[in-house]
Amino acid sequence: MDQGVSVGGFLEGWRRVAPSRTLVKAFLARPKGGAVSECPDLPGRFARTDMSFGADAADKVTHKNGQWTPAYSATILSISLPVVSQDGRYALVSIGLACGPLCGNGSTLLYRREADGRWNPVGDGAQWIS
């Protein structure tokens, strides 16, 4: 489970539909591997763009000549792997955006799978802001 995060604390401030406590517990206990390591086709797709990815991508943006810099050279976007409910109807995904030391935010989004197979956002909860 995410260190210091309780299910009740995680659910505070949710807008619209809140996820079930069972789904939140699974989300907080998820492995911390990223999409790049878990999805083998992503590196090839990213290589065809000007996007950086992988463990050192954030260091490339936040450091210049080996020194930390407050003027980020790009925006850092992080997206977690989804955690899907046992019935397959709901999924939680965490997103974060950092554009500088005091510029960014992170949220967790709740999606519902519709009868036609599309995933639609139905709820969200702010996790951090700077």
Side-chain angles (χ1 to χ4, degrees):
M1 188 173 286
D2 282 1
Q3 190 173 19
V5 178
S6 69
V7 172
F10 185 88
L11 288 170
E12 286 180 19
W14 271 79
R15 297 184 300 172
R16 302 182 288 160
V17 178
S20 70
R21 295 179 74 81
T22 302
L23 185 55
V24 170
K25 285 180 186 178
F27 184 77
L28 294 175
R30 74 194 183 282
K32 299 302 180 235
V36 172
S37 62
E38 298 295 323
C39 303
D41 67 323
L42 283 181
R45 290 174 185 235
F46 287 148
R48 296 187 294 265
T49 72
D50 62 353
M51 297 172 61
S52 295
F53 59 90
D56 63 343
D59 284 343
K60 291 177 187 175
V61 172
T62 59
H63 289 74
K64 186 174 186 177
N65 299 324
Q67 299 292 316
W68 179 83
T69 178
Y72 288 10
S73 62
T75 299
I76 301 169
L77 174 66
S78 60
I79 304 172
S80 74
L81 292 171
V83 173
V84 180
S85 63
Q86 287 185 329
D87 64 6
R89 293 192 60 227
Y90 292 94
L92 282 175
V93 176
S94 182
I95 60 169
L97 178 81
C99 42
L102 293 176
C103 177
N105 64 68
S107 298
T108 303
L109 306 174
L110 177 66
Y111 287 86
R112 180 179 56 222
R113 188 174 205 160
E114 304 300 342
D116 64 4
R118 290 180 300 136
W119 289 93
N120 287 321
V122 294
D124 58 89
Q127 302 300 311
W128 62 273
I129 190 167
S130 72

